[in-house]
């Protein structure tokens, strides 16, 4: 039973380019969460999605960031016009129920040069 | 005051020692409490998941929650060098039927052979 799968593991983008991060939840999980981890800081919640719905995006910057979880396929976190401050590790987690334990993927490490 | 406080360490102990890791929090609405282990450049791995106050044991790990004091602990018995990692506490409240996690910054644990 595969865990939460994220790809790519490492992503390098130049300032102004777009970054697309993908996340496939664990089998049977329909709740997906994205978190960001900056150096010397803890994991910060960004967005919570269920299939085809954004439930809570209160932690996601209003501009340049968007997320989706389509009926078919992985969840996507999209960052447009990346800046150096977007460099971080981005983690996806999934859970089976709304209040269930969340299991994390290995993360995507985004570097903006 | 931060919502979740956790001593960053590092905490250095010899192999075989009992380790105590702690977090305090300020939001009395938190009901679900988790401990994650994160190795360097890896994703967080769920160790313990508890609801409300009380103790939970799993192998060498024991989690304690004291909601009256807003204090949670993770004890590791017979610590091993392979336990060397950063330990993250996380907690959530249920709002509108779902929950998202608030993390401490993590405590780095070093177990020497």
């Amino acid at each position: 039973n595969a865990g939460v799968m994220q790809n790519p593991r490492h992503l390098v983008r130049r300032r102004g380019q777009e970054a697309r991060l993908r996340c496939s939840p664990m089998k049977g999980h329909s709740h997906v969460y994205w978190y960001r981890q900056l150096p010397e800081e803890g994991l910060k919640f960004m967005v919570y999605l269920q299939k085809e719905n954004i439930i809570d995006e209160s932690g996601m910057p209003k501009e340049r960031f968007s997320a989706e979880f389509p009926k078919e396929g992985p969840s996507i976190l999209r960052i447009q016009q990346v800046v150096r401050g977007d460099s971080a590790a981005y983690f996806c987690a999934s859970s089976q129920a709304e209040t269930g334990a969340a299991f994390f993927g290995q993360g995507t490490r985004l570097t903006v040069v | 005051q931060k919502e979740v406080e956790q001593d960053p360490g590092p905490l250095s102990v010899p192999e075989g020692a009992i380790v105590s890791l702690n977090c305090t929090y300020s939001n009395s609405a938190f009901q679900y409490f988790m401990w994650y282990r994160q190795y360097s450049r890896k994703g967080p791995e769920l160790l313990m998941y508890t609801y409300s106050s009380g103790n939970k044991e799993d192998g060498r790990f024991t989690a304690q929650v004291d909601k009256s004091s807003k204090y949670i602990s993770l004890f590791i018995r017979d610590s091993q060098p392979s336990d060397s990692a950063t330990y993250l506490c996380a907690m959530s409240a249920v709002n509108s039927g779902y929950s998202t996690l608030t993390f401490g910054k993590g405590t780095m644990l070093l177990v020497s052979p």
Side-chain angles (χ1 to χ4, degrees):
Chain A
N1 183 18
V4 177
M5 303 301 291
Q6 289 189 248
N7 65 82
R9 292 292 308 277
H10 302 276
L11 183 61
V12 179
R13 284 287 178 266
R14 295 186 185 280
R15 281 177 294 171
Q17 290 185 320
E18 179 180 288
R20 281 188 180 233
L21 289 62
R22 289 177 291 278
C23 169
S24 295
M26 286 180 69
K27 187 176 181 180
H29 287 194
S30 59
H31 304 261
V32 167
Y33 313 80
W34 286 92
Y35 290 81
R36 178 165 64 178
Q37 189 172 41
L38 290 164
E40 307 304 318
E41 293 191 22
L43 281 153
K44 302 291 187 187
F45 165 75
M46 297 181 72
V47 61
Y48 163 44
L49 311 102
Q50 293 180 26
K51 283 287 188 182
E52 300 185 276
N53 287 302
I54 297 175
I55 307 301
D56 183 351
E57 55 183 348
S58 60
M60 197 159 64
K62 295 283 187 288
E63 300 189 356
R64 301 189 299 107
F65 285 73
S66 63
E68 63 178 13
F69 189 16
K71 187 176 180 181
E72 302 290 338
S75 175
I76 305 287
L77 179 67
R78 182 182 178 206
I79 311 172
Q80 295 178 289
Q81 299 175 324
V82 296
V83 300
R84 288 227 170 100
D86 296 332
S87 296
Y90 292 83
F91 291 96
C92 171
S94 71
S95 67
Q96 191 172 37
E98 289 173 339
T99 56
F103 295 87
F104 282 77
Q106 293 300 314
T108 294
R109 279 162 181 80
L110 172 66
T111 303
V112 180
V113 297
Chain B
Q1 181 186 10
K2 290 188 172 63
E3 273 199 296
V4 180
E5 299 271 8
Q6 187 176 10
D7 188 329
L11 175 63
S12 296
V13 301
E15 183 176 356
I18 296 174
V19 175
S20 173
L21 302 164
N22 312 292
C23 287
T24 59
Y25 63 94
S26 58
N27 187 350
S28 57
F30 287 142
Q31 295 176 293
Y32 300 89
F33 303 91
M34 284 135 276
W35 285 95
Y36 287 86
R37 177 174 62 194
Q38 187 175 24
Y39 292 111
S40 180
R41 305 189 72 75
K42 300 290 187 184
E45 173 191 0
L46 180 65
L47 290 175
M48 302 290 281
Y49 175 78
T50 55
Y51 170 71
S52 195
S53 286
N55 294 357
K56 184 175 183 179
E57 188 174 321
D58 184 2
R60 295 186 296 114
F61 299 92
T62 299
Q64 288 185 350
V65 175
D66 182 349
K67 289 190 70 178
S68 63
S69 301
K70 297 190 179 67
Y71 187 87
I72 69 170
S73 300
L74 177 71
F75 297 95
I76 307 174
R77 289 184 298 281
D78 188 25
S79 56
Q80 303 295 310
S82 58
D83 294 328
S84 297
T86 297
Y87 290 78
L88 307 167
C89 64
M91 44 202 80
S92 64
V94 180
N95 299 312
S96 304
Y98 67 90
S99 60
T100 55
L101 299 177
T102 300
F103 281 85
K105 288 190 177 183
T107 299
M108 182 182 290
L109 172 66
L110 301 171
V111 181
S112 54

